[in-house]
Amino acid sequence: MTPDDVLKALYEETMVGNAPAVLEHTNTGLELGMTPNSLLFDALIPALEEVGARFERGDFFVPEMLISGKAMSGALEVLRPLLAQTGAESVGTFLMGTVKGDVHDIGKNLVNIMLEGAGFHVIDIGVQVPPEKFVEAIDEHKPDIVGMSAFLTTTMPMFKVNINAIEKAGLRDDIIIMVGGAPVTQEYADVSGADGYAADAATAVRRAKELLAVRTGA
Ligand code: B1M
């Protein structure tokens, strides 16, 4: 197989949710010397975008989205150690969760992997995280940055609800809050009262470092 064949096969098999084939092509790609970034950004992520587009058109339904998502998650586990490889000392603690009512976690997991790769100690508190769990986890782990993901227009309002709960608990001034997820925009992040927003995992890492540098005066 050539690298182009791998990308094409990875794209097609992710789209139809063939998890074993996705794993096999991911491993073949790595054996051929392809980069994890290429496998991710040239095949896996575009495949899920196409799945979403088909879902919107009514050509795919929730079960199809689910198996594609699972196939992608399998590949991400293979890529995780390569993407998260870091020689860097810990630059800070990042607490991350998907908001209440939202089960999407692939994007969150990818952001976590990239943050780990950049030297952050990441504490993942999972999906469907209610405000009180964010508050408890902040109190327990004392993170530098709290990240919240929302992937549905119906769950984005949880940012504001969470931030209000964090304020009420007297913890807001201790932390930087970042938000993100497919439907989120900078404008929405501002309205929610977050300190930062990023559209993708790579930008999230850059923004997290910038915000931390401003906070610590580095
Ligand atoms: Co859902 N889903 N889904 N889904 N799903 C979307 C998000 C959707 C856009 C599809 C579509 O219509 N085109 C749509 C949302 C529309 C909207 O509200 N705007 C949608 C819908 C409607 C739904 C359901 C309501 C469907 C239903 O039941 N009728 C339902 C909701 C369930 C719930 O949460 N309560 C649902 C369910 C599911 C599955 C469970 C089947 C599955 C999730 C599997 C999983 O995550 N474990 C699923 C999937 C797979 C998708 C799509 C196809 C793929 C999502 C994905 O993983 N993308 C998605 C379509 C799409 O995104 N185009 C869709 C790849 C990932 C790498 O990108 O998630 O954008 P993304 O993450 C990026 C950025 O957002 C950013 O960085 C990430 C990496 O670059 N980012 C941050 C993320 N978090 C960040 C945090 C930051 C900064 C950046 O700072 C803290």
Side-chain angles (χ1 to χ4, degrees), residues 48 52 55-56 62 65-66 96 101-107 110-111 147-149 151-153 178-182 198-201:
L48 280 193
F55 175 76
E56 268 177 48
V62 173
M65 275 209 295
L66 191 60
M96 181 79 149
D102 203 321
V103 302
H104 295 85
D105 68 354
I106 297 169
L110 188 53
V111 173
M148 301 173 192
S149 295
F151 302 93
L152 301 167
T153 38
M178 279 185 68
V179 296
D200 56 58

PDB file of all heavy atoms in Angstrom, residues 48 52 55-56 62 65-66 96 101-107 110-111 147-149 151-153 178-182 198-201, ligand 1:
ATOM      1  N   LEU A  48     -14.941  11.879   9.756  1.00  0.00           N
ATOM      2  CA  LEU A  48     -16.011  12.188  10.711  1.00  0.00           C
ATOM      3  C   LEU A  48     -16.789  13.434  10.282  1.00  0.00           C
ATOM      4  O   LEU A  48     -17.988  13.537  10.529  1.00  0.00           O
ATOM      5  CB  LEU A  48     -15.445  12.382  12.120  1.00  0.00           C
ATOM      6  CG  LEU A  48     -15.140  11.110  12.900  1.00  0.00           C
ATOM      7  CD1 LEU A  48     -14.899  11.412  14.364  1.00  0.00           C
ATOM      8  CD2 LEU A  48     -16.268  10.097  12.806  1.00  0.00           C
ATOM      9  N   GLY A  52     -20.798  13.556   9.721  1.00  0.00           N
ATOM     10  CA  GLY A  52     -21.687  14.609  10.227  1.00  0.00           C
ATOM     11  C   GLY A  52     -22.518  15.216   9.115  1.00  0.00           C
ATOM     12  O   GLY A  52     -23.724  15.463   9.277  1.00  0.00           O
ATOM     13  N   PHE A  55     -25.175  12.837   8.168  1.00  0.00           N
ATOM     14  CA  PHE A  55     -26.209  12.812   9.213  1.00  0.00           C
ATOM     15  C   PHE A  55     -27.156  14.004   9.007  1.00  0.00           C
ATOM     16  O   PHE A  55     -28.369  13.866   9.073  1.00  0.00           O
ATOM     17  CB  PHE A  55     -25.540  12.868  10.590  1.00  0.00           C
ATOM     18  CG  PHE A  55     -26.501  12.963  11.736  1.00  0.00           C
ATOM     19  CD1 PHE A  55     -27.210  11.849  12.162  1.00  0.00           C
ATOM     20  CD2 PHE A  55     -26.715  14.173  12.391  1.00  0.00           C
ATOM     21  CE1 PHE A  55     -28.107  11.933  13.225  1.00  0.00           C
ATOM     22  CE2 PHE A  55     -27.602  14.272  13.445  1.00  0.00           C
ATOM     23  CZ  PHE A  55     -28.298  13.143  13.866  1.00  0.00           C
ATOM     24  N   GLU A  56     -26.572  15.168   8.721  1.00  0.00           N
ATOM     25  CA  GLU A  56     -27.404  16.364   8.506  1.00  0.00           C
ATOM     26  C   GLU A  56     -28.318  16.202   7.309  1.00  0.00           C
ATOM     27  O   GLU A  56     -29.454  16.667   7.312  1.00  0.00           O
ATOM     28  CB  GLU A  56     -26.497  17.581   8.264  1.00  0.00           C
ATOM     29  CG  GLU A  56     -26.173  18.324   9.530  1.00  0.00           C
ATOM     30  CD  GLU A  56     -25.218  19.482   9.275  1.00  0.00           C
ATOM     31  OE1 GLU A  56     -25.445  20.263   8.342  1.00  0.00           O
ATOM     32  OE2 GLU A  56     -24.215  19.573  10.013  1.00  0.00           O
ATOM     33  N   VAL A  62     -28.064   7.977  13.823  1.00  0.00           N
ATOM     34  CA  VAL A  62     -27.209   7.918  15.017  1.00  0.00           C
ATOM     35  C   VAL A  62     -26.339   6.646  15.056  1.00  0.00           C
ATOM     36  O   VAL A  62     -25.148   6.734  15.358  1.00  0.00           O
ATOM     37  CB  VAL A  62     -28.050   8.077  16.315  1.00  0.00           C
ATOM     38  CG1 VAL A  62     -27.196   7.841  17.552  1.00  0.00           C
ATOM     39  CG2 VAL A  62     -28.670   9.468  16.364  1.00  0.00           C
ATOM     40  N   MET A  65     -23.280   7.174  13.065  1.00  0.00           N
ATOM     41  CA  MET A  65     -22.363   8.140  13.710  1.00  0.00           C
ATOM     42  C   MET A  65     -21.613   7.451  14.837  1.00  0.00           C
ATOM     43  O   MET A  65     -20.427   7.669  15.055  1.00  0.00           O
ATOM     44  CB  MET A  65     -23.144   9.327  14.299  1.00  0.00           C
ATOM     45  CG  MET A  65     -23.434  10.415  13.323  1.00  0.00           C
ATOM     46  SD  MET A  65     -23.570  12.033  14.115  1.00  0.00           S
ATOM     47  CE  MET A  65     -25.001  11.890  15.137  1.00  0.00           C
ATOM     48  N   LEU A  66     -22.356   6.584  15.547  1.00  0.00           N
ATOM     49  CA  LEU A  66     -21.773   5.916  16.707  1.00  0.00           C
ATOM     50  C   LEU A  66     -20.632   4.976  16.300  1.00  0.00           C
ATOM     51  O   LEU A  66     -19.541   5.019  16.889  1.00  0.00           O
ATOM     52  CB  LEU A  66     -22.874   5.121  17.425  1.00  0.00           C
ATOM     53  CG  LEU A  66     -22.549   4.560  18.794  1.00  0.00           C
ATOM     54  CD1 LEU A  66     -22.182   5.657  19.772  1.00  0.00           C
ATOM     55  CD2 LEU A  66     -23.748   3.792  19.341  1.00  0.00           C
ATOM     56  N   MET A  96     -10.223  18.878  32.421  1.00  0.00           N
ATOM     57  CA  MET A  96     -11.037  18.933  31.209  1.00  0.00           C
ATOM     58  C   MET A  96     -12.272  18.050  31.296  1.00  0.00           C
ATOM     59  O   MET A  96     -12.204  16.911  31.778  1.00  0.00           O
ATOM     60  CB  MET A  96     -10.135  18.451  30.056  1.00  0.00           C
ATOM     61  CG  MET A  96     -10.784  18.465  28.718  1.00  0.00           C
ATOM     62  SD  MET A  96     -10.784  20.136  28.060  1.00  0.00           S
ATOM     63  CE  MET A  96     -10.670  19.726  26.339  1.00  0.00           C
ATOM     64  N   GLY A 101     -25.155  16.813  29.657  1.00  0.00           N
ATOM     65  CA  GLY A 101     -26.083  16.631  28.535  1.00  0.00           C
ATOM     66  C   GLY A 101     -25.404  16.276  27.237  1.00  0.00           C
ATOM     67  O   GLY A 101     -26.057  16.047  26.221  1.00  0.00           O
ATOM     68  N   ASP A 102     -24.082  16.204  27.269  1.00  0.00           N
ATOM     69  CA  ASP A 102     -23.313  16.003  26.025  1.00  0.00           C
ATOM     70  C   ASP A 102     -22.385  14.798  26.177  1.00  0.00           C
ATOM     71  O   ASP A 102     -21.581  14.755  27.105  1.00  0.00           O
ATOM     72  CB  ASP A 102     -22.482  17.275  25.760  1.00  0.00           C
ATOM     73  CG  ASP A 102     -22.109  17.433  24.304  1.00  0.00           C
ATOM     74  OD1 ASP A 102     -21.786  16.409  23.658  1.00  0.00           O
ATOM     75  OD2 ASP A 102     -22.134  18.569  23.808  1.00  0.00           O
ATOM     76  N   VAL A 103     -22.535  13.831  25.255  1.00  0.00           N
ATOM     77  CA  VAL A 103     -21.703  12.613  25.373  1.00  0.00           C
ATOM     78  C   VAL A 103     -20.504  12.608  24.425  1.00  0.00           C
ATOM     79  O   VAL A 103     -19.707  11.677  24.440  1.00  0.00           O
ATOM     80  CB  VAL A 103     -22.526  11.321  25.112  1.00  0.00           C
ATOM     81  CG1 VAL A 103     -23.697  11.221  26.072  1.00  0.00           C
ATOM     82  CG2 VAL A 103     -22.994  11.218  23.666  1.00  0.00           C
ATOM     83  N   HIS A 104     -20.386  13.624  23.565  1.00  0.00           N
ATOM     84  CA  HIS A 104     -19.282  13.626  22.599  1.00  0.00           C
ATOM     85  C   HIS A 104     -17.948  13.732  23.340  1.00  0.00           C
ATOM     86  O   HIS A 104     -17.788  14.585  24.202  1.00  0.00           O
ATOM     87  CB  HIS A 104     -19.417  14.806  21.629  1.00  0.00           C
ATOM     88  CG  HIS A 104     -20.627  14.710  20.758  1.00  0.00           C
ATOM     89  ND1 HIS A 104     -21.854  15.158  21.157  1.00  0.00           N
ATOM     90  CD2 HIS A 104     -20.796  14.197  19.513  1.00  0.00           C
ATOM     91  CE1 HIS A 104     -22.736  14.939  20.182  1.00  0.00           C
ATOM     92  NE2 HIS A 104     -22.128  14.351  19.175  1.00  0.00           N
ATOM     93  N   ASP A 105     -17.009  12.872  22.964  1.00  0.00           N
ATOM     94  CA  ASP A 105     -15.724  12.955  23.675  1.00  0.00           C
ATOM     95  C   ASP A 105     -14.494  12.855  22.773  1.00  0.00           C
ATOM     96  O   ASP A 105     -13.369  13.007  23.256  1.00  0.00           O
ATOM     97  CB  ASP A 105     -15.640  11.910  24.800  1.00  0.00           C
ATOM     98  CG  ASP A 105     -15.576  10.478  24.283  1.00  0.00           C
ATOM     99  OD1 ASP A 105     -15.711  10.267  23.068  1.00  0.00           O
ATOM    100  OD2 ASP A 105     -15.392   9.572  25.118  1.00  0.00           O
ATOM    101  N   ILE A 106     -14.685  12.598  21.498  1.00  0.00           N
ATOM    102  CA  ILE A 106     -13.510  12.398  20.637  1.00  0.00           C
ATOM    103  C   ILE A 106     -12.694  13.697  20.553  1.00  0.00           C
ATOM    104  O   ILE A 106     -11.474  13.685  20.704  1.00  0.00           O
ATOM    105  CB  ILE A 106     -13.943  11.917  19.234  1.00  0.00           C
ATOM    106  CG1 ILE A 106     -14.641  10.553  19.361  1.00  0.00           C
ATOM    107  CG2 ILE A 106     -12.737  11.820  18.300  1.00  0.00           C
ATOM    108  CD1 ILE A 106     -15.355  10.098  18.100  1.00  0.00           C
ATOM    109  N   GLY A 107     -13.388  14.803  20.317  1.00  0.00           N
ATOM    110  CA  GLY A 107     -12.698  16.095  20.209  1.00  0.00           C
ATOM    111  C   GLY A 107     -12.005  16.454  21.511  1.00  0.00           C
ATOM    112  O   GLY A 107     -10.856  16.905  21.520  1.00  0.00           O
ATOM    113  N   LEU A 110      -8.922  14.360  21.919  1.00  0.00           N
ATOM    114  CA  LEU A 110      -7.836  14.807  21.045  1.00  0.00           C
ATOM    115  C   LEU A 110      -7.147  16.046  21.631  1.00  0.00           C
ATOM    116  O   LEU A 110      -5.916  16.160  21.621  1.00  0.00           O
ATOM    117  CB  LEU A 110      -8.386  15.090  19.638  1.00  0.00           C
ATOM    118  CG  LEU A 110      -7.364  15.392  18.559  1.00  0.00           C
ATOM    119  CD1 LEU A 110      -6.290  14.314  18.479  1.00  0.00           C
ATOM    120  CD2 LEU A 110      -8.056  15.517  17.198  1.00  0.00           C
ATOM    121  N   VAL A 111      -7.947  16.964  22.149  1.00  0.00           N
ATOM    122  CA  VAL A 111      -7.366  18.153  22.795  1.00  0.00           C
ATOM    123  C   VAL A 111      -6.490  17.700  23.972  1.00  0.00           C
ATOM    124  O   VAL A 111      -5.353  18.161  24.128  1.00  0.00           O
ATOM    125  CB  VAL A 111      -8.473  19.133  23.275  1.00  0.00           C
ATOM    126  CG1 VAL A 111      -7.872  20.267  24.093  1.00  0.00           C
ATOM    127  CG2 VAL A 111      -9.248  19.698  22.093  1.00  0.00           C
ATOM    128  N   GLY A 147     -10.915  23.317  31.275  1.00  0.00           N
ATOM    129  CA  GLY A 147     -11.428  23.291  29.905  1.00  0.00           C
ATOM    130  C   GLY A 147     -12.789  22.636  29.874  1.00  0.00           C
ATOM    131  O   GLY A 147     -13.022  21.622  30.530  1.00  0.00           O
ATOM    132  N   MET A 148     -13.686  23.262  29.107  1.00  0.00           N
ATOM    133  CA  MET A 148     -15.030  22.685  28.943  1.00  0.00           C
ATOM    134  C   MET A 148     -15.306  22.542  27.458  1.00  0.00           C
ATOM    135  O   MET A 148     -15.125  23.487  26.687  1.00  0.00           O
ATOM    136  CB  MET A 148     -16.089  23.625  29.523  1.00  0.00           C
ATOM    137  CG  MET A 148     -15.899  23.931  30.988  1.00  0.00           C
ATOM    138  SD  MET A 148     -17.069  25.181  31.503  1.00  0.00           S
ATOM    139  CE  MET A 148     -16.386  25.600  33.106  1.00  0.00           C
ATOM    140  N   SER A 149     -15.758  21.330  27.085  1.00  0.00           N
ATOM    141  CA  SER A 149     -16.141  21.098  25.693  1.00  0.00           C
ATOM    142  C   SER A 149     -17.653  20.962  25.602  1.00  0.00           C
ATOM    143  O   SER A 149     -18.278  20.349  26.473  1.00  0.00           O
ATOM    144  CB  SER A 149     -15.539  19.793  25.167  1.00  0.00           C
ATOM    145  OG  SER A 149     -14.143  19.852  25.121  1.00  0.00           O
ATOM    146  N   PHE A 151     -20.479  20.132  22.258  1.00  0.00           N
ATOM    147  CA  PHE A 151     -20.517  19.820  20.828  1.00  0.00           C
ATOM    148  C   PHE A 151     -21.904  20.009  20.226  1.00  0.00           C
ATOM    149  O   PHE A 151     -22.112  19.776  19.040  1.00  0.00           O
ATOM    150  CB  PHE A 151     -20.020  18.386  20.602  1.00  0.00           C
ATOM    151  CG  PHE A 151     -18.624  18.198  21.125  1.00  0.00           C
ATOM    152  CD1 PHE A 151     -18.397  17.736  22.410  1.00  0.00           C
ATOM    153  CD2 PHE A 151     -17.528  18.568  20.349  1.00  0.00           C
ATOM    154  CE1 PHE A 151     -17.109  17.607  22.917  1.00  0.00           C
ATOM    155  CE2 PHE A 151     -16.240  18.436  20.842  1.00  0.00           C
ATOM    156  CZ  PHE A 151     -16.028  17.960  22.119  1.00  0.00           C
ATOM    157  N   LEU A 152     -22.846  20.426  21.056  1.00  0.00           N
ATOM    158  CA  LEU A 152     -24.225  20.625  20.601  1.00  0.00           C
ATOM    159  C   LEU A 152     -24.638  22.058  20.916  1.00  0.00           C
ATOM    160  O   LEU A 152     -24.267  22.578  21.973  1.00  0.00           O
ATOM    161  CB  LEU A 152     -25.171  19.666  21.333  1.00  0.00           C
ATOM    162  CG  LEU A 152     -24.892  18.163  21.169  1.00  0.00           C
ATOM    163  CD1 LEU A 152     -25.687  17.366  22.197  1.00  0.00           C
ATOM    164  CD2 LEU A 152     -25.230  17.710  19.755  1.00  0.00           C
ATOM    165  N   THR A 153     -25.422  22.654  20.043  1.00  0.00           N
ATOM    166  CA  THR A 153     -25.892  24.011  20.334  1.00  0.00           C
ATOM    167  C   THR A 153     -26.749  24.004  21.609  1.00  0.00           C
ATOM    168  O   THR A 153     -26.782  24.991  22.337  1.00  0.00           O
ATOM    169  CB  THR A 153     -26.706  24.567  19.142  1.00  0.00           C
ATOM    170  OG1 THR A 153     -27.494  23.518  18.595  1.00  0.00           O
ATOM    171  CG2 THR A 153     -25.823  25.113  18.063  1.00  0.00           C
ATOM    172  N   MET A 178     -11.185  27.818  29.775  1.00  0.00           N
ATOM    173  CA  MET A 178     -11.202  27.755  28.306  1.00  0.00           C
ATOM    174  C   MET A 178     -12.380  26.915  27.851  1.00  0.00           C
ATOM    175  O   MET A 178     -12.734  25.931  28.493  1.00  0.00           O
ATOM    176  CB  MET A 178      -9.926  27.087  27.774  1.00  0.00           C
ATOM    177  CG  MET A 178      -8.750  28.015  27.706  1.00  0.00           C
ATOM    178  SD  MET A 178      -7.345  27.174  26.940  1.00  0.00           S
ATOM    179  CE  MET A 178      -7.913  26.969  25.243  1.00  0.00           C
ATOM    180  N   VAL A 179     -12.984  27.313  26.726  1.00  0.00           N
ATOM    181  CA  VAL A 179     -14.100  26.532  26.179  1.00  0.00           C
ATOM    182  C   VAL A 179     -13.849  26.231  24.704  1.00  0.00           C
ATOM    183  O   VAL A 179     -13.082  26.917  24.028  1.00  0.00           O
ATOM    184  CB  VAL A 179     -15.451  27.278  26.351  1.00  0.00           C
ATOM    185  CG1 VAL A 179     -15.801  27.459  27.810  1.00  0.00           C
ATOM    186  CG2 VAL A 179     -15.441  28.623  25.624  1.00  0.00           C
ATOM    187  N   GLY A 180     -14.506  25.174  24.229  1.00  0.00           N
ATOM    188  CA  GLY A 180     -14.381  24.826  22.812  1.00  0.00           C
ATOM    189  C   GLY A 180     -15.355  23.731  22.449  1.00  0.00           C
ATOM    190  O   GLY A 180     -16.121  23.260  23.290  1.00  0.00           O
ATOM    191  N   GLY A 181     -15.320  23.340  21.176  1.00  0.00           N
ATOM    192  CA  GLY A 181     -16.250  22.342  20.650  1.00  0.00           C
ATOM    193  C   GLY A 181     -16.802  22.848  19.337  1.00  0.00           C
ATOM    194  O   GLY A 181     -16.827  24.062  19.111  1.00  0.00           O
ATOM    195  N   ALA A 182     -17.250  21.918  18.505  1.00  0.00           N
ATOM    196  CA  ALA A 182     -17.595  22.255  17.117  1.00  0.00           C
ATOM    197  C   ALA A 182     -18.476  23.505  16.936  1.00  0.00           C
ATOM    198  O   ALA A 182     -18.140  24.356  16.111  1.00  0.00           O
ATOM    199  CB  ALA A 182     -18.215  21.042  16.447  1.00  0.00           C
ATOM    200  N   ALA A 198     -10.721  28.056  21.679  1.00  0.00           N
ATOM    201  CA  ALA A 198      -9.929  27.615  20.525  1.00  0.00           C
ATOM    202  C   ALA A 198     -10.809  26.734  19.653  1.00  0.00           C
ATOM    203  O   ALA A 198     -11.674  26.017  20.151  1.00  0.00           O
ATOM    204  CB  ALA A 198      -8.707  26.829  20.987  1.00  0.00           C
ATOM    205  N   ALA A 199     -10.562  26.801  18.357  1.00  0.00           N
ATOM    206  CA  ALA A 199     -11.389  26.050  17.407  1.00  0.00           C
ATOM    207  C   ALA A 199     -10.919  24.617  17.227  1.00  0.00           C
ATOM    208  O   ALA A 199     -11.691  23.761  16.813  1.00  0.00           O
ATOM    209  CB  ALA A 199     -11.393  26.768  16.057  1.00  0.00           C
ATOM    210  N   ASP A 200      -9.652  24.359  17.511  1.00  0.00           N
ATOM    211  CA  ASP A 200      -9.141  22.999  17.321  1.00  0.00           C
ATOM    212  C   ASP A 200      -8.067  22.695  18.366  1.00  0.00           C
ATOM    213  O   ASP A 200      -7.669  23.569  19.134  1.00  0.00           O
ATOM    214  CB  ASP A 200      -8.580  22.819  15.895  1.00  0.00           C
ATOM    215  CG  ASP A 200      -7.519  23.844  15.594  1.00  0.00           C
ATOM    216  OD1 ASP A 200      -6.515  23.895  16.338  1.00  0.00           O
ATOM    217  OD2 ASP A 200      -7.673  24.621  14.628  1.00  0.00           O
ATOM    218  N   ALA A 201      -7.599  21.443  18.340  1.00  0.00           N
ATOM    219  CA  ALA A 201      -6.703  20.989  19.398  1.00  0.00           C
ATOM    220  C   ALA A 201      -5.366  21.741  19.394  1.00  0.00           C
ATOM    221  O   ALA A 201      -4.861  22.130  20.458  1.00  0.00           O
ATOM    222  CB  ALA A 201      -6.463  19.487  19.259  1.00  0.00           C
TER     223      ALA A 201
HETATM  224 CO1  B1M B   1     -23.151  13.786  17.306  1.00  0.00          CO
HETATM  225  N1  B1M B   1     -23.547  15.555  16.582  1.00  0.00           N
HETATM  226  N2  B1M B   1     -24.933  13.728  18.130  1.00  0.00           N
HETATM  227  N3  B1M B   1     -22.666  12.011  17.820  1.00  0.00           N
HETATM  228  N4  B1M B   1     -21.671  13.938  16.126  1.00  0.00           N
HETATM  229  C1  B1M B   1     -22.455  16.256  15.878  1.00  0.00           C
HETATM  230  C2  B1M B   1     -21.621  17.082  16.864  1.00  0.00           C
HETATM  231  C3  B1M B   1     -23.242  17.124  14.811  1.00  0.00           C
HETATM  232  C4  B1M B   1     -22.482  18.398  14.400  1.00  0.00           C
HETATM  233  C5  B1M B   1     -23.598  16.266  13.580  1.00  0.00           C
HETATM  234  C6  B1M B   1     -24.305  17.074  12.514  1.00  0.00           C
HETATM  235  O1  B1M B   1     -25.491  17.291  12.617  1.00  0.00           O
HETATM  236  N5  B1M B   1     -23.592  17.537  11.524  1.00  0.00           N
HETATM  237  C7  B1M B   1     -24.586  17.392  15.589  1.00  0.00           C
HETATM  238  C8  B1M B   1     -24.615  18.655  16.453  1.00  0.00           C
HETATM  239  C9  B1M B   1     -25.384  19.763  15.812  1.00  0.00           C
HETATM  240  C10 B1M B   1     -25.401  20.958  16.709  1.00  0.00           C
HETATM  241  O2  B1M B   1     -25.946  20.938  17.772  1.00  0.00           O
HETATM  242  N6  B1M B   1     -24.753  22.025  16.243  1.00  0.00           N
HETATM  243  C11 B1M B   1     -24.721  16.141  16.418  1.00  0.00           C
HETATM  244  C12 B1M B   1     -25.940  15.667  16.961  1.00  0.00           C
HETATM  245  C13 B1M B   1     -27.191  16.424  16.558  1.00  0.00           C
HETATM  246  C14 B1M B   1     -26.017  14.552  17.826  1.00  0.00           C
HETATM  247  C15 B1M B   1     -27.248  13.975  18.521  1.00  0.00           C
HETATM  248  C16 B1M B   1     -28.211  15.031  19.120  1.00  0.00           C
HETATM  249  C17 B1M B   1     -27.966  13.073  17.494  1.00  0.00           C
HETATM  250  C18 B1M B   1     -29.293  12.490  17.972  1.00  0.00           C
HETATM  251  O3  B1M B   1     -29.354  11.793  18.942  1.00  0.00           O
HETATM  252  N7  B1M B   1     -30.322  12.854  17.253  1.00  0.00           N
HETATM  253  C19 B1M B   1     -26.625  13.081  19.635  1.00  0.00           C
HETATM  254  C20 B1M B   1     -26.403  13.859  20.921  1.00  0.00           C
HETATM  255  C21 B1M B   1     -25.983  12.964  22.056  1.00  0.00           C
HETATM  256  C22 B1M B   1     -25.593  13.789  23.270  1.00  0.00           C
HETATM  257  O4  B1M B   1     -24.451  14.234  23.373  1.00  0.00           O
HETATM  258  N8  B1M B   1     -26.526  14.011  24.184  1.00  0.00           N
HETATM  259  C23 B1M B   1     -25.302  12.762  19.003  1.00  0.00           C
HETATM  260  C24 B1M B   1     -24.593  11.588  19.255  1.00  0.00           C
HETATM  261  C25 B1M B   1     -23.390  11.240  18.688  1.00  0.00           C
HETATM  262  C26 B1M B   1     -22.718   9.878  18.873  1.00  0.00           C
HETATM  263  C27 B1M B   1     -22.808   9.355  20.319  1.00  0.00           C
HETATM  264  C28 B1M B   1     -23.392   8.903  17.952  1.00  0.00           C
HETATM  265  C29 B1M B   1     -21.263  10.173  18.371  1.00  0.00           C
HETATM  266  C30 B1M B   1     -20.287  10.624  19.494  1.00  0.00           C
HETATM  267  C31 B1M B   1     -19.230   9.601  19.765  1.00  0.00           C
HETATM  268  C32 B1M B   1     -18.185  10.150  20.724  1.00  0.00           C
HETATM  269  O5  B1M B   1     -17.845  11.316  20.772  1.00  0.00           O
HETATM  270  N9  B1M B   1     -17.689   9.239  21.523  1.00  0.00           N
HETATM  271  C33 B1M B   1     -21.475  11.393  17.485  1.00  0.00           C
HETATM  272  C34 B1M B   1     -20.539  11.831  16.499  1.00  0.00           C
HETATM  273  C35 B1M B   1     -19.391  10.888  16.184  1.00  0.00           C
HETATM  274  C36 B1M B   1     -20.674  13.081  15.851  1.00  0.00           C
HETATM  275  C37 B1M B   1     -19.807  13.670  14.695  1.00  0.00           C
HETATM  276  C38 B1M B   1     -20.161  12.907  13.432  1.00  0.00           C
HETATM  277  C39 B1M B   1     -18.309  13.638  14.905  1.00  0.00           C
HETATM  278  C40 B1M B   1     -17.814  14.366  16.157  1.00  0.00           C
HETATM  279  C41 B1M B   1     -16.309  14.251  16.246  1.00  0.00           C
HETATM  280  O6  B1M B   1     -15.797  13.427  16.993  1.00  0.00           O
HETATM  281  N10 B1M B   1     -15.572  15.022  15.410  1.00  0.00           N
HETATM  282  C42 B1M B   1     -20.291  15.175  14.680  1.00  0.00           C
HETATM  283  C43 B1M B   1     -20.213  15.803  13.321  1.00  0.00           C
HETATM  284  C44 B1M B   1     -19.049  16.782  13.187  1.00  0.00           C
HETATM  285  O7  B1M B   1     -18.392  17.121  14.105  1.00  0.00           O
HETATM  286  N11 B1M B   1     -18.887  17.296  12.000  1.00  0.00           N
HETATM  287  C45 B1M B   1     -21.551  15.127  15.473  1.00  0.00           C
HETATM  288  C46 B1M B   1     -14.105  14.940  15.308  1.00  0.00           C
HETATM  289  C47 B1M B   1     -13.439  15.774  16.412  1.00  0.00           C
HETATM  290  C48 B1M B   1     -11.909  15.619  16.304  1.00  0.00           C
HETATM  291  O8  B1M B   1     -13.765  17.125  16.174  1.00  0.00           O
HETATM  292  O9  B1M B   1     -15.488  17.160  18.007  1.00  0.00           O
HETATM  293  O10 B1M B   1     -15.131  19.210  16.584  1.00  0.00           O
HETATM  294  P1  B1M B   1     -14.559  18.023  17.246  1.00  0.00           P
HETATM  295  O11 B1M B   1     -13.409  18.501  18.247  1.00  0.00           O
HETATM  296  C49 B1M B   1     -12.435  19.479  17.859  1.00  0.00           C
HETATM  297  C50 B1M B   1     -12.865  20.936  18.168  1.00  0.00           C
HETATM  298  O12 B1M B   1     -14.234  21.051  18.426  1.00  0.00           O
HETATM  299  C51 B1M B   1     -11.962  21.378  19.281  1.00  0.00           C
HETATM  300  O13 B1M B   1     -10.805  20.566  19.136  1.00  0.00           O
HETATM  301  C52 B1M B   1     -11.218  19.262  18.722  1.00  0.00           C
HETATM  302  C53 B1M B   1     -10.062  18.596  18.023  1.00  0.00           C
HETATM  303  O14 B1M B   1      -9.536  19.380  16.970  1.00  0.00           O
HETATM  304  N12 B1M B   1     -12.379  21.269  20.678  1.00  0.00           N
HETATM  305  C54 B1M B   1     -11.912  22.126  21.631  1.00  0.00           C
HETATM  306  C55 B1M B   1     -13.142  20.341  21.284  1.00  0.00           C
HETATM  307  N13 B1M B   1     -13.207  20.573  22.594  1.00  0.00           N
HETATM  308  C56 B1M B   1     -12.445  21.665  22.840  1.00  0.00           C
HETATM  309  C57 B1M B   1     -12.142  22.316  24.032  1.00  0.00           C
HETATM  310  C58 B1M B   1     -11.296  23.442  23.983  1.00  0.00           C
HETATM  311  C59 B1M B   1     -10.789  23.888  22.771  1.00  0.00           C
HETATM  312  C60 B1M B   1     -11.076  23.248  21.579  1.00  0.00           C
HETATM  313  O15 B1M B   1     -10.954  24.131  25.077  1.00  0.00           O
HETATM  314  C61 B1M B   1     -11.319  23.668  26.338  1.00  0.00           C
END
